[in-house]
Amino acid sequence: MGTIYLDNLRFHAFHGVQKQERNVGNDYIVNVSVQYPFEEACNSDDVNDTLNYAILADIVKREMLIPSNLLEHVAQRIGNSIFAHFPQTESATIDIKKVAPPFSADCDGAGIRITMQSPL
């Protein structure tokens, strides 16, 4: 078992419960770690035997472009899409950070992290 990850994917998206968040949008940083058995890829040296980074990034991008009230909902959609596309996945951790949250605090962002187990 190993981990394949994407670090600090950046998006401008339109998530949030406030009207301004849905109209203007915000910047987000997404990190994804996927636990995946890649022994076959280690032996074969064939990209078809592993989880393709580019496809994983496309999954995250597609789900980030769908506006949602809650980041929890976005993260769950990302996880569900990962499991649907890569059924060998054992678990996935998704971090989504809103870079400039709409509240009065001096911080580098606010967000969520979920770890999902394979439904199989």
Side-chain angles (χ1 to χ4, degrees):
M1 190 61 53
T3 301
I4 293 177
Y5 64 91
L6 297 174
D7 236 357
N8 297 326
L9 294 169
R10 291 170 181 80
F11 299 95
H12 188 82
F14 300 88
H15 309 301
V17 294
Q18 296 181 13
K19 185 176 180 179
Q20 180 178 346
E21 293 178 286
R22 298 299 282 267
N23 290 334
V24 177
N26 204 321
D27 292 328
Y28 294 86
I29 297 173
V30 179
N31 293 291
V32 178
S33 296
V34 178
Q35 287 66 49
Y36 185 87
F38 53 71
E39 294 82 10
E40 190 172 341
C42 292
N43 294 322
S44 72
D45 196 29
D46 185 339
V47 70
N48 294 310
D49 293 331
T50 192
L51 192 149
N52 186 306
Y53 300 121
I55 294 171
L56 183 59
D58 286 343
I59 289 169
V60 175
K61 180 180 180 180
R62 181 184 68 231
E63 298 300 338
M64 284 297 293
L65 291 177
I66 301 169
S68 293
N69 289 326
L70 302 177
L71 295 181
E72 291 89 324
H73 185 69
V74 180
Q76 182 176 349
R77 283 199 326 263
I78 292 169
N80 288 340
S81 293
I82 291 169
F83 292 127
H85 197 84
F86 300 108
Q88 307 91 324
T89 298
E90 296 213 357
S91 66
T93 300
I94 299 103
D95 295 316
I96 304 175
K97 178 170 78 171
K98 186 178 289 192
V99 175
F103 57 80
S104 59
D106 183 16
C107 67
D108 291 331
I112 59 99
R113 173 180 296 137
I114 65 168
T115 299
M116 299 172 64
Q117 301 300 317
S118 171
L120 301 179

